[in-house]
Amino acid sequence: MDFRIGNGFDVHRLVAGRELWICGIRIDHEFGLLGHSDADVAIHALCDAILGALALGDIGKLFPDSDPAYKGIDSKILLGHVVATAVRLGWSIANFDITIMAERPKFRPHIDAMREKLASVTGLPVDRVSVKATTTERLGFTGREEGIAAQASVLLMKA
């Protein structure tokens, strides 16, 4: 079997007046993430991981923020397109793992819903979808609650 591993990382600034979308679900919080799309930092990291494994660049190359077609777009749509691209090229996702880095809000109560949503979008069984969250011990921009970061790893296998 042929395998490929990809890693992705994304970060967005927290601002007032925006909804907070992480892993395809809306989370109640006084701040949301700033971005051209819905700024779902976890889905963006996952898209970059998949695109990296395929050696196709990153999310900005495929969906540039200079294109008005992507203004405010739901990141689940972008992920669906990236997964479809992998499938079209003969690859399937074996599993993926996402780590969200933020002080607040607390993500533990949302992890199961996040995993289920991502499994639904990617077509994977939920036991192949991992989502974790951690703080940065109040260090750096995430620790100061200026933004949220996410990292993703994915394993692709030749279909």
Side-chain angles (χ1 to χ4, degrees), residues 36-37 59-73 78:
H36 186 68
S37 66
I59 194 171
K61 180 179 177 185
L62 222 59
F63 312 108
D65 63 7
S66 58
D67 188 335
Y70 304 118
K71 178 75 173 157
I73 195 167
L78 304 179

Side-chain angles (χ1 to χ4, degrees), residues 46-124:
L46 179 56
C47 286
D48 274 355
I50 296 166
L51 292 169
L54 296 170
L56 293 177
D58 61 23
I59 194 171
K61 180 179 177 185
L62 222 59
F63 312 108
D65 63 7
S66 58
D67 188 335
Y70 304 118
K71 178 75 173 157
I73 195 167
D74 181 335
S75 292
K76 293 185 299 292
I77 295 169
L78 304 179
L79 177 57
H81 179 75
V82 170
V83 170
T85 298
V87 169
R88 183 174 35 79
L89 294 173
W91 295 92
S92 63
I93 300 172
N95 73 299
F96 60 85
D97 181 32
I98 297 172
T99 303
I100 303 161
M101 292 155 265
E103 294 298 318
R104 292 184 317 118
K106 295 301 180 193
F107 292 104
R108 169 69 47 213
H110 308 286
I111 295 292
D112 289 341
M114 291 173 168
R115 291 178 64 218
E116 289 170 14
K117 180 62 72 176
L118 291 171
S120 171
V121 174
T122 60
L124 291 176

Side-chain angles (χ1 to χ4, degrees), residues 20 39 74 152 155:
L20 180 60
D74 181 335
L155 177 64

Side-chain angles (χ1 to χ4, degrees), residues 7 40 94 129:
N7 296 296
D40 188 325
V129 174

